[in-house]
């Protein structure tokens, strides 16, 4: 299997193997402490223009996304019943508990939640949760804005 790489405006340098349509790199988002594994489900030649635009919107809006996603994320974690009783999650400490894991940029055929137009590109921003190692928290993003937390 041979490795291939490309450089794009919004993603920077991406690598893939053989005829794979999955491209990867490590990225940082403003407002989050650690790097994420970025995985783009593009074409054999790289991401589509729509994927580049969608990721660019996320990248430019990441600090605002963090602020907007804070309360829905706290609510979701409590609704799941996984937060230990001795921990009081709030806007000041939430993100210190969550470990950045991945950013998944899907193709436009994979978005089927019904909240966005067919041409929308769904992006999931994933975090490891210290109280439940078997599952990941995902923040869904459409056009750089919060879609859902799951």
């Amino acid at each position: 299997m041979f490795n291939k790489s490309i450089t794009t405006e919004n993603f920077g340098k991406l690598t893939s193997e053989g005829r794979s349509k999955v491209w990867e790199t490590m990225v940082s988002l403003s407002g989050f402490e650690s790097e994420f594994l970025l995985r783009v489900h593009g074409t054999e030649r790289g991401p589509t223009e729509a994927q580049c635009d969608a990721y660019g919107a996320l990248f430019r809006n990441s600090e605002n996304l963090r602020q907007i996603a804070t309360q829905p994320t706290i609510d979701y974690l409590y609704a799941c019943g996984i937060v230990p009783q001795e921990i009081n999650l709030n806007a000041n400490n939430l993100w210190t508990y969550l470990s950045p894991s991945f950013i998944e940029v899907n193709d436009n055929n994979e978005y089927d939640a019904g909240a966005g137009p067919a041409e929308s590109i769904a992006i999931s921003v994933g975090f490891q949760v210290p109280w439940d190692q078997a599952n990941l928290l995902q923040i869904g993003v459409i056009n750089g804005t919060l879609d859902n937390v799951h």
Side-chain angles (χ1 to χ4, degrees), residues 40-121:
V40 182
H41 297 270
T43 70
E44 284 184 32
R45 295 180 179 218
T48 65
E49 185 177 333
Q51 289 172 315
C52 290
D53 292 345
Y55 178 73
L58 166 65
F59 188 81
R60 289 185 301 276
N61 197 38
S62 61
E63 286 187 39
N64 188 44
L65 176 67
R66 177 181 157 151
Q67 290 176 339
I68 292 169
T70 296
Q71 193 57 54
T73 301
I74 292 169
D75 295 344
Y76 179 78
L77 290 170
Y78 277 119
C80 290
I82 61 172
V83 181
Q85 285 185 321
E86 67 272 10
I87 294 179
N88 179 26
L89 288 181
N90 58 58
N92 294 322
N93 68 10
L94 169 67
W95 301 104
T96 64
Y97 287 105
L98 304 179
S99 300
S101 181
F102 66 87
I103 298 172
E104 192 98 13
V105 181
N106 296 305
D107 66 24
N108 62 351
N109 297 324
E110 293 184 26
Y111 187 67
D112 61 5
E119 66 275 4
S120 294
I121 300 295

Side-chain angles (χ1 to χ4, degrees), residues 132-145:
D132 184 359
Q133 298 297 315
N135 295 296
L136 293 171
L137 173 91
Q138 294 185 46
I139 296 173
V141 179
I142 298 291
N143 299 325
T145 61

